[in-house]
Amino acid sequence: MRHCLWLTLIIVALFVLNIFIGSVSIPSSDVMTIMLGGTSKPSWQYIVLESRLPQAITAMLAGGSLAVSGLMLQTAFRNPLAGPSVFGINSGAGLGVALVMLLLGGSLSAGSVSVSGFVAILLAAFIGAMTVMAVIFLFSTMVRNSVMLLIIGIMIGYISNSAISLLNFFATDEGVKSYMVWGMGSFSGVSMRMMPVFVLVTMAGLIGAAILVKPLNALLLGDRYAENLGINIIRVRNWLLVVTGLLTAIVTAFCGPIAFIGLAVPHVTRLVLHTDNHRMLLPATILMGSIVALVCNLLCVLPGESGVIPLNAVTPLIGAPVIIYVITTRRT
């Protein structure tokens, strides 16, 4: 409980920093005035309320969602290198976006209904991610072995990436560039108008993850022990797939395929807490994921109004050393 309190205080501090610091220099007094409902320069008000605030909220929720997804997958499949992208859900979202950007000219049509631009990309990413999740769910009803299911997910990811490579090869230069920009990841994809949807779906997924605390603790002791405690392994695994699929799909659809947060943060949390008890580990992982995402969002901001670094250029700098440490310490 004490650790969660400290992590919450760090989140509050980082959230405030994300509001006050940006690529555009705005006096702190004006930022405070805007946040308290006062008036300032219209351009500054727009930046604070329509850019920095939704980015901070998005980073906080997306980081927590990816981190808890990684934790659940690593526990359920007893694999320290399992993460939200391991089942090809990110690749499914990427394939959906590639189809819209590179094949369909940036629009998505169904009968008399047609959408284009960001809405089309958002829908394509979500449909692609959920389609892959549905395929994995179908295989989970036929395959009892968790390791085999893990391998099937990796193979589906390879198939999706192969299709994306072919679409990129035959696409125009403009289409390839647009797809690469989306693939770099960003927390700026959720506007204040879309924020209620993003918050509602991610919170539903996080609550679903919290329900799995007891079964996850039982799985730490092995499948047979969990079954002796009355845990239905297949039902828990399927529920876990639904929750991780939903969280990964919504985050990837809005923010792009974000690397390493889901893979590395659970390990960071274990190193901090020195426990595998999910009653403490799961909420702390959500909070730690929010912290890492908020730090990454801050690091993406270049000083001197020079622009913003792509998110996936920053996350490996934090995540890769953690994974290397985990691998090397396990070998010893």
Side-chain angles (χ1 to χ4, degrees):
M1 182 64 73
R2 184 182 62 186
H3 288 96
C4 287
L5 178 61
W6 279 109
L7 292 175
T8 302
L9 292 175
I10 294 172
I11 288 174
V12 172
L14 288 171
F15 189 91
V16 172
L17 284 175
N18 272 267
I19 301 298
F20 279 82
I21 298 175
S23 57
V24 177
S25 180
I26 302 175
S28 300
S29 58
D30 286 272
V31 174
M32 183 68 72
T33 299
I34 293 168
M35 290 302 297
L36 293 176
T39 57
S40 183
K41 288 177 61 175
S43 59
W44 288 353
Q45 284 189 235
Y46 181 85
I47 290 170
V48 172
L49 297 179
E50 299 297 329
S51 178
R52 293 184 185 178
L53 180 59
Q55 273 192 53
I57 297 172
T58 301
M60 187 171 60
L61 292 174
S65 298
L66 294 175
V68 77
S69 296
L71 173 66
M72 291 190 294
L73 291 172
Q74 289 168 12
T75 300
F77 294 95
R78 292 189 290 278
N79 188 330
L81 299 181
S85 60
V86 74
F87 286 110
I89 299 173
N90 280 354
S91 298
L95 179 57
V97 173
L99 287 170
V100 170
M101 286 187 175
L102 307 178
L103 187 65
L104 302 178
S107 63
L108 195 63
S109 301
S112 59
V113 180
S114 178
V115 292
S116 60
F118 175 74
V119 177
I121 293 170
L122 180 64
L123 286 175
F126 191 76
I127 292 170
M130 295 306 288
T131 299
V132 171
M133 196 272 292
V135 172
I136 295 294
F137 190 84
L138 177 64
F139 276 110
S140 73
T141 61
M142 299 182 286
V143 179
R144 293 184 61 88
N145 190 296
S146 295
V147 176
M148 292 299 105
L149 187 62
L150 195 68
I151 293 172
I152 289 172
I154 294 172
M155 293 304 106
I156 291 174
Y158 277 126
I159 293 170
S160 299
N161 287 328
S162 177
I164 293 170
S165 297
L166 287 173
L167 288 170
N168 272 304
F169 181 79
F170 292 106
T172 62
D173 292 342
E174 293 80 6
V176 172
K177 182 179 179 181
S178 298
Y179 182 77
M180 287 183 63
V181 170
W182 176 81
M184 290 176 179
S186 173
F187 291 129
S188 61
V190 186
S191 65
M192 288 304 291
R193 184 172 58 88
M194 296 296 294
M195 188 59 69
V197 175
F198 185 76
V199 171
L200 183 64
V201 176
T202 52
M203 289 305 297
L206 293 174
I207 292 170
I211 295 173
L212 290 168
V213 165
K214 183 178 177 181
L216 286 171
N217 274 337
L219 288 176
L220 288 173
L221 303 173
D223 290 351
R224 289 186 178 180
Y225 187 86
E227 287 176 347
N228 289 335
L229 291 176
I231 303 295
N232 188 321
I233 302 297
I234 295 177
R235 185 184 299 169
V236 169
R237 189 177 63 183
N238 290 343
W239 179 247
L240 182 144
L241 287 174
V242 170
V243 172
T244 56
L246 180 66
L247 288 173
T248 306
I250 192 69
V251 172
T252 306
F254 277 99
C255 307
I258 300 173
F260 279 103
I261 290 180
L263 187 60
V265 170
H267 295 296
V268 174
T269 311
R270 290 189 188 97
L271 291 172
V272 172
L273 297 186
H274 303 290
T275 182
D276 286 321
N277 185 347
H278 285 74
R279 292 187 185 279
M280 294 178 288
L281 188 60
L282 191 141
T285 298
I286 294 173
L287 296 175
M288 187 68 76
S290 298
I291 288 172
V292 172
L294 287 168
V295 169
C296 289
N297 197 49
L298 275 176
L299 293 176
C300 285
V301 178
L302 289 172
E305 303 183 10
S306 301
V308 177
I309 300 174
L311 183 61
N312 280 334
V314 175
T315 52
L317 299 177
I318 297 175
V322 173
I323 300 305
I324 293 172
Y325 174 80
V326 169
I327 293 173
T328 54
T329 52
R330 278 179 174 267
R331 284 181 178 176
T332 55

